[in-house]
Amino acid sequence: MNNIGKRIKELRKKNDLTQDRLAEYLGVTDKAVSKWECGMTMPDLALIVPLARVLHVSADELLSGKPAEIDERRAEFDSHCGRFTDYAKDEHYDLALQAVKEYPDDYKYLVWLAEVEMGMAYKPQYKEDASQEYSLQMMEHALNLNNLVIEECDDEKLRERAIWNAMQCCKRLKRLEEARKYAEMFPTVPPITRYRAMEMCLEGDLLLQHRQSMVDGKLNDLLRALSDIYWHAETPAPHIQAALDTTEAVLKSAIPDENYLGYYKFLCVVYQKRAEFSVADGDYDKAMEYVRVMLAYAKKIPRNTQKYTSGVLDGLNVDFSTNYLLPYLYIGLDDTNQSIYDQLRNRVMCMEKFASLREREDFKELIK
């Protein structure tokens, strides 16, 4: 009895706790803590686990005095578990398989293995043809693992991750109705967010800036959703044209002085599409007008902290140095280490859609 009392006292002091504070955490009196440390009484059995948590040790270590052995094997698996860039590598797959074999009750490793198998299914040699037997087998097995986590795991974050994975598996397997069932599992109303919590703690100008930041994020989401409508379009159908026009109208309404700052990126994409449509229609003069506007907007995109000067975002300072990517990139064509102006200039020089403009003198003058 005296030994555990000594350990409680040592650990309490190690964690910089007074007897009063420890008693407060556990819902007992400071006299009770004093009696434990003097060896006069023992903590109730029901208090052992919460006492160990407060003192940052395991219950076994509290009772025995022996430090818990570090599970080096689990630590090795954990060090690889979140490295998504390795998920399509054979050796990473073998490691995930071994983790599940050695710790079959750890749902984190089941999700890991499922995600690795999803990555393996998308290896380049299988990516083009969804009927490849290997790819389908990997996706099917990954779906089964995700379903196991969904059905049995109590960790909501892991479950949500598994639901998302299962939805992606079904989409890859072309079982869209089943994929929609997984999509419906996500909550429509999230729990309290950091934004809402912070809103309750701010006043005056800080509260206004906080809300403007929220609007800034939602405006980005809206413009990206609109760009999803027109980005892959080959012809300017009415709804495509409406999406292009709405993008400009929304920005004009939100930022009436047209000092769009970071939103010039979306306008660059709008005018790239307008130029593509004009080239397809054979209206090269109009296409050149759109290319000029696109490149002029690209030059205005900031790479430092700047302030919006009108509209709903008036006075909001935004750091643009860490977000300097176009809404959509051409893999193998866009060099994201270059300025957006140079990326777009490279597009019109290299994309086949603009080939008809390359012999024009005004085009050569514009991009030189």
PDB file of all heavy atoms in Angstrom, residues 33 37 43 50-51 59 67 85 100 113 132 165 175 180 209 211 238 248 278 302 306 312 347:
ATOM      1  N   VAL A  33      -6.300  12.283  -0.982  1.00  0.00           N
ATOM      2  CA  VAL A  33      -5.018  12.177  -1.698  1.00  0.00           C
ATOM      3  C   VAL A  33      -3.874  12.075  -0.698  1.00  0.00           C
ATOM      4  O   VAL A  33      -2.946  11.270  -0.869  1.00  0.00           O
ATOM      5  CB  VAL A  33      -4.818  13.392  -2.625  1.00  0.00           C
ATOM      6  CG1 VAL A  33      -3.421  13.356  -3.265  1.00  0.00           C
ATOM      7  CG2 VAL A  33      -5.897  13.432  -3.708  1.00  0.00           C
ATOM      8  N   GLU A  37      -1.016   9.005  -0.280  1.00  0.00           N
ATOM      9  CA  GLU A  37       0.428   9.218  -0.361  1.00  0.00           C
ATOM     10  C   GLU A  37       1.135   8.812   0.931  1.00  0.00           C
ATOM     11  O   GLU A  37       2.324   8.444   0.897  1.00  0.00           O
ATOM     12  CB  GLU A  37       0.716  10.682  -0.702  1.00  0.00           C
ATOM     13  CG  GLU A  37       0.229  11.077  -2.100  1.00  0.00           C
ATOM     14  CD  GLU A  37       0.584  12.511  -2.465  1.00  0.00           C
ATOM     15  OE1 GLU A  37       1.139  13.228  -1.605  1.00  0.00           O
ATOM     16  OE2 GLU A  37       0.316  12.920  -3.621  1.00  0.00           O
ATOM     17  N   PRO A  43      -6.461   4.181  -3.216  1.00  0.00           N
ATOM     18  CA  PRO A  43      -7.532   4.722  -4.059  1.00  0.00           C
ATOM     19  C   PRO A  43      -8.556   3.630  -4.367  1.00  0.00           C
ATOM     20  O   PRO A  43      -8.214   2.448  -4.482  1.00  0.00           O
ATOM     21  CB  PRO A  43      -6.798   5.156  -5.331  1.00  0.00           C
ATOM     22  CG  PRO A  43      -5.358   5.239  -4.953  1.00  0.00           C
ATOM     23  CD  PRO A  43      -5.149   4.235  -3.871  1.00  0.00           C
ATOM     24  N   PRO A  50      -8.723   6.623 -14.140  1.00  0.00           N
ATOM     25  CA  PRO A  50      -8.632   8.081 -14.264  1.00  0.00           C
ATOM     26  C   PRO A  50      -7.403   8.669 -13.566  1.00  0.00           C
ATOM     27  O   PRO A  50      -6.823   9.645 -14.036  1.00  0.00           O
ATOM     28  CB  PRO A  50      -9.924   8.584 -13.617  1.00  0.00           C
ATOM     29  CG  PRO A  50     -10.494   7.443 -12.866  1.00  0.00           C
ATOM     30  CD  PRO A  50     -10.012   6.214 -13.529  1.00  0.00           C
ATOM     31  N   LEU A  51      -6.986   8.061 -12.442  1.00  0.00           N
ATOM     32  CA  LEU A  51      -5.792   8.528 -11.753  1.00  0.00           C
ATOM     33  C   LEU A  51      -4.559   8.332 -12.636  1.00  0.00           C
ATOM     34  O   LEU A  51      -3.708   9.232 -12.743  1.00  0.00           O
ATOM     35  CB  LEU A  51      -5.628   7.773 -10.430  1.00  0.00           C
ATOM     36  CG  LEU A  51      -4.386   8.096  -9.582  1.00  0.00           C
ATOM     37  CD1 LEU A  51      -4.348   9.578  -9.221  1.00  0.00           C
ATOM     38  CD2 LEU A  51      -4.377   7.228  -8.317  1.00  0.00           C
ATOM     39  N   ALA A  59      -2.267   2.199 -16.252  1.00  0.00           N
ATOM     40  CA  ALA A  59      -2.739   1.664 -14.974  1.00  0.00           C
ATOM     41  C   ALA A  59      -1.763   0.618 -14.439  1.00  0.00           C
ATOM     42  O   ALA A  59      -1.497   0.552 -13.230  1.00  0.00           O
ATOM     43  CB  ALA A  59      -4.133   1.062 -15.147  1.00  0.00           C
ATOM     44  N   PRO A  67       7.726   0.668 -15.764  1.00  0.00           N
ATOM     45  CA  PRO A  67       7.304   1.357 -16.980  1.00  0.00           C
ATOM     46  C   PRO A  67       6.768   0.375 -18.015  1.00  0.00           C
ATOM     47  O   PRO A  67       7.280  -0.743 -18.156  1.00  0.00           O
ATOM     48  CB  PRO A  67       8.590   2.023 -17.489  1.00  0.00           C
ATOM     49  CG  PRO A  67       9.472   2.089 -16.284  1.00  0.00           C
ATOM     50  CD  PRO A  67       9.133   0.884 -15.452  1.00  0.00           C
ATOM     51  N   THR A  85       1.960   8.947 -49.812  1.00  0.00           N
ATOM     52  CA  THR A  85       2.717   8.937 -51.061  1.00  0.00           C
ATOM     53  C   THR A  85       3.312   7.567 -51.374  1.00  0.00           C
ATOM     54  O   THR A  85       3.693   7.309 -52.512  1.00  0.00           O
ATOM     55  CB  THR A  85       3.857   9.961 -51.005  1.00  0.00           C
ATOM     56  OG1 THR A  85       4.667   9.705 -49.847  1.00  0.00           O
ATOM     57  CG2 THR A  85       3.306  11.382 -50.934  1.00  0.00           C
ATOM     58  N   VAL A 100      -1.802  -5.819 -40.260  1.00  0.00           N
ATOM     59  CA  VAL A 100      -3.137  -6.388 -40.031  1.00  0.00           C
ATOM     60  C   VAL A 100      -3.026  -7.808 -39.482  1.00  0.00           C
ATOM     61  O   VAL A 100      -3.814  -8.224 -38.621  1.00  0.00           O
ATOM     62  CB  VAL A 100      -3.957  -6.362 -41.333  1.00  0.00           C
ATOM     63  CG1 VAL A 100      -5.244  -7.163 -41.183  1.00  0.00           C
ATOM     64  CG2 VAL A 100      -4.278  -4.924 -41.719  1.00  0.00           C
ATOM     65  N   LEU A 113      -4.579  -0.708 -44.737  1.00  0.00           N
ATOM     66  CA  LEU A 113      -4.470  -1.740 -45.762  1.00  0.00           C
ATOM     67  C   LEU A 113      -5.460  -1.482 -46.896  1.00  0.00           C
ATOM     68  O   LEU A 113      -5.123  -1.621 -48.080  1.00  0.00           O
ATOM     69  CB  LEU A 113      -4.711  -3.122 -45.154  1.00  0.00           C
ATOM     70  CG  LEU A 113      -4.686  -4.300 -46.142  1.00  0.00           C
ATOM     71  CD1 LEU A 113      -3.354  -4.363 -46.883  1.00  0.00           C
ATOM     72  CD2 LEU A 113      -4.964  -5.614 -45.413  1.00  0.00           C
ATOM     73  N   GLN A 132      -9.466  -4.732 -65.690  1.00  0.00           N
ATOM     74  CA  GLN A 132      -8.318  -5.551 -65.336  1.00  0.00           C
ATOM     75  C   GLN A 132      -8.612  -6.312 -64.042  1.00  0.00           C
ATOM     76  O   GLN A 132      -9.012  -5.727 -63.028  1.00  0.00           O
ATOM     77  CB  GLN A 132      -7.082  -4.667 -65.145  1.00  0.00           C
ATOM     78  CG  GLN A 132      -6.508  -4.127 -66.435  1.00  0.00           C
ATOM     79  CD  GLN A 132      -5.739  -5.177 -67.203  1.00  0.00           C
ATOM     80  OE1 GLN A 132      -5.375  -6.220 -66.656  1.00  0.00           O
ATOM     81  NE2 GLN A 132      -5.505  -4.910 -68.479  1.00  0.00           N
ATOM     82  N   ASN A 165     -13.754   5.841 -48.296  1.00  0.00           N
ATOM     83  CA  ASN A 165     -13.024   4.861 -49.099  1.00  0.00           C
ATOM     84  C   ASN A 165     -13.978   3.899 -49.802  1.00  0.00           C
ATOM     85  O   ASN A 165     -13.794   3.563 -50.978  1.00  0.00           O
ATOM     86  CB  ASN A 165     -12.058   4.065 -48.214  1.00  0.00           C
ATOM     87  CG  ASN A 165     -10.915   4.913 -47.696  1.00  0.00           C
ATOM     88  OD1 ASN A 165     -10.593   5.955 -48.259  1.00  0.00           O
ATOM     89  ND2 ASN A 165     -10.304   4.468 -46.608  1.00  0.00           N
ATOM     90  N   ARG A 175     -20.240   0.727 -59.499  1.00  0.00           N
ATOM     91  CA  ARG A 175     -21.467   0.422 -58.760  1.00  0.00           C
ATOM     92  C   ARG A 175     -21.958   1.722 -58.126  1.00  0.00           C
ATOM     93  O   ARG A 175     -21.849   1.946 -56.927  1.00  0.00           O
ATOM     94  CB  ARG A 175     -21.180  -0.663 -57.723  1.00  0.00           C
ATOM     95  CG  ARG A 175     -21.015  -2.020 -58.396  1.00  0.00           C
ATOM     96  CD  ARG A 175     -20.106  -3.008 -57.754  1.00  0.00           C
ATOM     97  NE  ARG A 175     -20.183  -3.188 -56.331  1.00  0.00           N
ATOM     98  CZ  ARG A 175     -19.430  -4.069 -55.664  1.00  0.00           C
ATOM     99  NH1 ARG A 175     -18.581  -4.835 -56.345  1.00  0.00           N
ATOM    100  NH2 ARG A 175     -19.510  -4.205 -54.366  1.00  0.00           N
ATOM    101  N   ARG A 180     -23.645   5.764 -53.880  1.00  0.00           N
ATOM    102  CA  ARG A 180     -24.521   6.810 -53.346  1.00  0.00           C
ATOM    103  C   ARG A 180     -25.021   6.458 -51.952  1.00  0.00           C
ATOM    104  O   ARG A 180     -25.235   7.341 -51.108  1.00  0.00           O
ATOM    105  CB  ARG A 180     -25.688   7.040 -54.299  1.00  0.00           C
ATOM    106  CG  ARG A 180     -25.294   7.795 -55.566  1.00  0.00           C
ATOM    107  CD  ARG A 180     -26.519   8.272 -56.321  1.00  0.00           C
ATOM    108  NE  ARG A 180     -27.239   7.166 -56.936  1.00  0.00           N
ATOM    109  CZ  ARG A 180     -26.993   6.718 -58.163  1.00  0.00           C
ATOM    110  NH1 ARG A 180     -26.035   7.270 -58.897  1.00  0.00           N
ATOM    111  NH2 ARG A 180     -27.691   5.724 -58.662  1.00  0.00           N
ATOM    112  N   GLN A 209     -13.593  40.370 -39.150  1.00  0.00           N
ATOM    113  CA  GLN A 209     -12.579  39.745 -39.997  1.00  0.00           C
ATOM    114  C   GLN A 209     -12.743  38.226 -40.027  1.00  0.00           C
ATOM    115  O   GLN A 209     -12.542  37.586 -41.065  1.00  0.00           O
ATOM    116  CB  GLN A 209     -11.183  40.121 -39.492  1.00  0.00           C
ATOM    117  CG  GLN A 209     -10.844  41.591 -39.682  1.00  0.00           C
ATOM    118  CD  GLN A 209      -9.570  41.991 -38.959  1.00  0.00           C
ATOM    119  OE1 GLN A 209      -8.770  41.146 -38.562  1.00  0.00           O
ATOM    120  NE2 GLN A 209      -9.392  43.284 -38.775  1.00  0.00           N
ATOM    121  N   ARG A 211     -15.562  36.583 -39.748  1.00  0.00           N
ATOM    122  CA  ARG A 211     -16.697  36.278 -40.621  1.00  0.00           C
ATOM    123  C   ARG A 211     -16.372  36.535 -42.083  1.00  0.00           C
ATOM    124  O   ARG A 211     -16.817  35.794 -42.967  1.00  0.00           O
ATOM    125  CB  ARG A 211     -17.903  37.095 -40.164  1.00  0.00           C
ATOM    126  CG  ARG A 211     -18.489  36.578 -38.846  1.00  0.00           C
ATOM    127  CD  ARG A 211     -19.552  37.480 -38.280  1.00  0.00           C
ATOM    128  NE  ARG A 211     -20.215  36.850 -37.133  1.00  0.00           N
ATOM    129  CZ  ARG A 211     -20.992  37.485 -36.269  1.00  0.00           C
ATOM    130  NH1 ARG A 211     -21.188  38.814 -36.405  1.00  0.00           N
ATOM    131  NH2 ARG A 211     -21.563  36.841 -35.262  1.00  0.00           N
ATOM    132  N   PRO A 238     -25.622  26.354 -73.228  1.00  0.00           N
ATOM    133  CA  PRO A 238     -26.199  27.434 -72.397  1.00  0.00           C
ATOM    134  C   PRO A 238     -25.810  27.362 -70.934  1.00  0.00           C
ATOM    135  O   PRO A 238     -25.484  28.392 -70.321  1.00  0.00           O
ATOM    136  CB  PRO A 238     -27.707  27.235 -72.602  1.00  0.00           C
ATOM    137  CG  PRO A 238     -27.822  26.664 -73.971  1.00  0.00           C
ATOM    138  CD  PRO A 238     -26.636  25.748 -74.113  1.00  0.00           C
ATOM    139  N   GLU A 248     -18.202  35.688 -63.229  1.00  0.00           N
ATOM    140  CA  GLU A 248     -17.868  37.111 -63.308  1.00  0.00           C
ATOM    141  C   GLU A 248     -18.870  37.960 -62.532  1.00  0.00           C
ATOM    142  O   GLU A 248     -18.495  38.924 -61.846  1.00  0.00           O
ATOM    143  CB  GLU A 248     -17.821  37.549 -64.765  1.00  0.00           C
ATOM    144  CG  GLU A 248     -16.648  36.945 -65.527  1.00  0.00           C
ATOM    145  CD  GLU A 248     -16.414  37.631 -66.859  1.00  0.00           C
ATOM    146  OE1 GLU A 248     -15.690  38.645 -66.866  1.00  0.00           O
ATOM    147  OE2 GLU A 248     -16.958  37.168 -67.878  1.00  0.00           O
ATOM    148  N   SER A 278     -13.748  30.090 -78.599  1.00  0.00           N
ATOM    149  CA  SER A 278     -13.654  30.958 -79.768  1.00  0.00           C
ATOM    150  C   SER A 278     -12.770  30.344 -80.844  1.00  0.00           C
ATOM    151  O   SER A 278     -13.078  30.427 -82.042  1.00  0.00           O
ATOM    152  CB  SER A 278     -13.120  32.341 -79.361  1.00  0.00           C
ATOM    153  OG  SER A 278     -14.025  32.984 -78.501  1.00  0.00           O
ATOM    154  N   PRO A 302      -1.610  38.493 -56.768  1.00  0.00           N
ATOM    155  CA  PRO A 302      -0.565  38.810 -55.784  1.00  0.00           C
ATOM    156  C   PRO A 302       0.156  37.576 -55.265  1.00  0.00           C
ATOM    157  O   PRO A 302      -0.378  36.470 -55.296  1.00  0.00           O
ATOM    158  CB  PRO A 302      -1.347  39.497 -54.660  1.00  0.00           C
ATOM    159  CG  PRO A 302      -2.716  38.910 -54.752  1.00  0.00           C
ATOM    160  CD  PRO A 302      -2.959  38.655 -56.210  1.00  0.00           C
ATOM    161  N   GLN A 306      -2.081  41.057 -49.092  1.00  0.00           N
ATOM    162  CA  GLN A 306      -2.743  42.256 -49.581  1.00  0.00           C
ATOM    163  C   GLN A 306      -4.151  42.335 -49.002  1.00  0.00           C
ATOM    164  O   GLN A 306      -4.691  41.358 -48.491  1.00  0.00           O
ATOM    165  CB  GLN A 306      -2.782  42.287 -51.108  1.00  0.00           C
ATOM    166  CG  GLN A 306      -1.407  42.469 -51.732  1.00  0.00           C
ATOM    167  CD  GLN A 306      -1.470  42.958 -53.165  1.00  0.00           C
ATOM    168  OE1 GLN A 306      -2.416  43.630 -53.574  1.00  0.00           O
ATOM    169  NE2 GLN A 306      -0.452  42.616 -53.939  1.00  0.00           N
ATOM    170  N   VAL A 312     -17.975  43.032 -49.775  1.00  0.00           N
ATOM    171  CA  VAL A 312     -18.154  42.244 -48.562  1.00  0.00           C
ATOM    172  C   VAL A 312     -16.826  41.900 -47.884  1.00  0.00           C
ATOM    173  O   VAL A 312     -16.775  41.668 -46.676  1.00  0.00           O
ATOM    174  CB  VAL A 312     -18.958  40.959 -48.895  1.00  0.00           C
ATOM    175  CG1 VAL A 312     -18.139  40.006 -49.754  1.00  0.00           C
ATOM    176  CG2 VAL A 312     -19.410  40.257 -47.624  1.00  0.00           C
ATOM    177  N   ARG A 347       0.716  27.533 -71.474  1.00  0.00           N
ATOM    178  CA  ARG A 347      -0.449  26.794 -71.974  1.00  0.00           C
ATOM    179  C   ARG A 347      -0.788  27.201 -73.403  1.00  0.00           C
ATOM    180  O   ARG A 347      -0.980  26.360 -74.275  1.00  0.00           O
ATOM    181  CB  ARG A 347      -1.665  27.044 -71.076  1.00  0.00           C
ATOM    182  CG  ARG A 347      -1.636  26.320 -69.753  1.00  0.00           C
ATOM    183  CD  ARG A 347      -2.960  26.489 -69.022  1.00  0.00           C
ATOM    184  NE  ARG A 347      -2.902  25.928 -67.687  1.00  0.00           N
ATOM    185  CZ  ARG A 347      -3.942  25.862 -66.857  1.00  0.00           C
ATOM    186  NH1 ARG A 347      -5.107  26.343 -67.239  1.00  0.00           N
ATOM    187  NH2 ARG A 347      -3.813  25.338 -65.664  1.00  0.00           N
TER     188      ARG A 347
END
